Amino acid sequence: MVLEFIADKVAQYFTLYVKREESETAKLKLGIEIAVHNILMISVILLIAGYLSILKQVLIFFSAFGILRMTSGGIHLKSSIGCLIWSTLLIIGGVKITPFINISQRELVVVFFVLIIITFQLAPQGTENNPTNKKDIPKLKYQSCILLIIYTVISIVYDKIGTLIMLASLFQIITLVLQYIKKFGIYEKCHLRKTKKDE
């Protein structure tokens, strides 16, 4: 992979000047890989948004989606290219379909209420590469719910961007649910294997 190659070369460059243990080098490589991936992804999304003249809407959608994602977690694709394509389609597509969604303030509040309930039940959901510390779970859970309450208020006060923020929140909670289903499925498979061994 291109990103892994870049991260490996940068990590090797740093280890020439600073002596690090193998585990620290691996962490550094992962950090660089994530940073390069995020810079590339944001650049691609913003360039496409600028070309389509939807930069302002994309920034609002991306911010609402990204901030909520930091506290609630959600599913991640293992492939960097897959993640780039999926994220771009999700954000650009979300912005493009927003004008076609006709929703009243009452319906918008109901959607957010449902999202808050789901978030309270499932958040946060870490991944294999970025697991959630058990001590941080209550804090992240409440932060995610408070964020959704803030989003609800903003969406009511600024109704022109309300649907945009609601859709960004909905998409993020879908990734949260998908990660929960993925983890639950893995747990079930492991549990079945242990049961068979015991028999």
Side-chain angles (χ1 to χ4, degrees):
M1 295 296 290
V2 177
L3 292 181
E4 289 176 358
F5 175 78
I6 294 169
D8 188 52
K9 290 297 179 185
V10 174
Q12 284 178 17
Y13 175 79
F14 276 107
T15 53
L16 288 174
Y17 297 96
V18 182
K19 289 184 178 180
R20 292 177 179 272
E21 292 182 9
E22 193 174 330
S23 60
E24 290 178 330
T25 305
K27 286 179 183 178
L28 177 64
K29 182 184 171 182
L30 179 62
I32 293 166
E33 192 176 325
I34 291 168
V36 171
H37 167 74
N38 286 335
I39 292 167
L40 177 64
M41 181 182 68
I42 292 167
S43 299
V44 168
I45 291 169
L46 294 181
L47 282 170
I48 294 171
Y51 177 76
L52 297 173
S53 302
I54 52 170
L55 186 58
K56 184 180 176 181
Q57 295 93 319
V58 163
L59 285 171
I60 294 167
F61 191 101
F62 191 49
S63 299
F65 180 88
I67 294 168
L68 183 58
R69 190 168 178 78
M70 284 192 291
T71 58
S72 63
I75 199 162
H76 283 266
L77 297 180
K78 290 184 179 180
S79 164
S80 296
I81 297 299
C83 181
L84 175 63
I85 294 167
W86 173 248
S87 299
T88 304
L89 289 173
L90 185 86
I91 293 165
I92 300 295
V95 171
K96 293 297 283 183
I97 65 171
T98 299
F100 301 100
I101 298 172
N102 189 15
I103 187 169
S104 67
Q105 281 198 343
R106 184 179 294 179
E107 291 168 334
L108 185 138
V109 171
V110 169
V111 172
F112 270 114
F113 181 71
V114 172
L115 294 181
I116 290 166
I117 292 171
I118 295 170
T119 301
F120 186 77
Q121 293 295 322
L122 304 184
Q125 290 294 325
T127 61
E128 292 174 16
N129 291 334
N130 188 25
T132 305
N133 191 321
K134 287 184 178 180
K135 292 179 181 179
D136 295 330
I137 288 174
K139 179 181 73 175
L140 292 171
K141 184 187 292 290
Y142 286 111
Q143 282 178 350
S144 300
C145 291
I146 289 166
L147 264 174
L148 283 170
I149 292 168
I150 293 168
Y151 285 179
T152 308
V153 174
I154 292 171
S155 299
I156 292 168
V157 175
Y158 302 100
D159 59 339
K160 287 184 179 179
I161 61 170
T163 307
L164 204 61
I165 295 173
M166 183 272 293
L167 200 60
S169 303
L170 176 62
F171 282 9
Q172 166 47 27
I173 300 309
I174 288 171
T175 73
L176 176 71
V177 173
L178 289 173
Q179 179 62 16
Y180 175 78
I181 292 168
K182 182 183 174 184
K183 285 173 73 176
F184 182 76
I186 291 169
Y187 172 79
E188 284 294 304
K189 286 175 186 176
C190 293
H191 183 68
L192 286 170
R193 283 175 189 169
K194 286 180 181 179
T195 306
K196 285 178 181 178
K197 284 181 182 179
D198 292 339
E199 289 174 354

